[in-house]
Amino acid sequence: MSQGRLRTTVADTSALVSLAVPRVDADYDTESAPDPLGYLLTSGTVTVPPTVVSELRTIAQYDDIHGDAAGTVLSARDHYTVDDPYERPEPPDSRPTFGLDDGETDGIVLANALDVDGFLTDEFGGTNFALVHAALQGPRIVPTPRLLRDYARNDHVTDEAARTLITAIGTHRSWDNSPYVSQILARLE
């Protein structure tokens, strides 16, 4: 990761949905305010395993903001690559059992195989953060709120815009009571 910027990323389902929330939130205007999904997909190479696409299709069936956000990610398909980590040279014999869902597990396997800068995820609470961190063999774990903070640190957005994004996304993604998110917001003040 160069100066906090992800040039090569593997993303999990939840992170992509979170970054797409501003595009479908009627109270957030991506025409005049930052579009975090658009920036991620145009500022570097984003790769996902097929399982993430499958999970996005499932979520897109719901008639809510999460379904709309998943549909937005699916409609941006030309801006990310789908790569099956089990069809690469020297794949694992089977899906590892990290104690995570299949999209996250396959994303970690793919991130390790591609040796990307980071693995973008919404796993930042409880024991899952530690599980993801332990399973990554080179790429950094990049929780979505931290990515948004890094956008501010690298002057892509202002601190105020990053706070607004984190708050707007967090309202819909149950980040409101997260100590991790509180720490990220405090660093933006």
Side-chain angles (χ1 to χ4, degrees), residues 10-180:
V10 170
D12 78 4
T13 308
S14 60
L16 292 171
V17 169
S18 290
L19 291 175
V21 161
R23 283 194 181 184
V24 297
D25 182 346
D27 295 327
Y28 189 89
D29 180 15
T30 54
E31 293 297 319
S32 61
D35 176 3
L37 179 66
Y39 185 68
L40 175 73
L41 296 177
T42 59
S43 66
T45 302
V46 177
T47 307
V48 301
T51 316
V52 166
V53 175
S54 178
E55 290 176 353
L56 287 167
R57 286 185 183 129
T58 298
I59 296 168
Q61 294 176 27
Y62 292 97
D63 188 22
D64 61 12
I65 197 163
H66 309 289
D68 293 345
T72 296
V73 176
L74 289 168
S75 70
R77 174 62 186 90
D78 291 343
H79 298 284
Y80 57 89
T81 302
V82 178
D83 191 344
D84 191 331
Y86 306 105
E87 293 182 3
R88 300 191 57 75
E90 301 181 36
D93 294 332
S94 62
R95 178 177 282 134
T97 53
F98 297 137
L100 302 165
D101 74 31
D102 291 346
E104 292 161 345
T105 298
D106 292 354
I108 290 167
V109 172
L110 184 59
N112 288 336
L114 296 176
D115 192 29
V116 294
D117 294 329
F119 177 63
L120 182 61
T121 182
D122 268 9
E123 292 299 340
F124 49 81
T127 59
N128 285 354
F129 180 88
L131 291 171
V132 173
H133 181 69
L136 289 170
Q137 298 171 0
R140 289 180 42 200
I141 183 173
V142 181
T144 309
R146 181 180 175 140
L147 175 72
L148 298 171
R149 185 205 66 197
D150 288 347
Y151 285 170
R153 281 191 168 173
N154 294 315
D155 296 324
H156 175 67
V157 300
T158 64
D159 286 357
E160 180 181 339
R163 277 192 306 277
T164 300
L165 277 169
I166 291 168
T167 302
I169 294 168
T171 299
H172 299 288
R173 301 296 285 166
S174 301
W175 295 356
D176 297 342
N177 296 317
S178 166
Y180 181 83

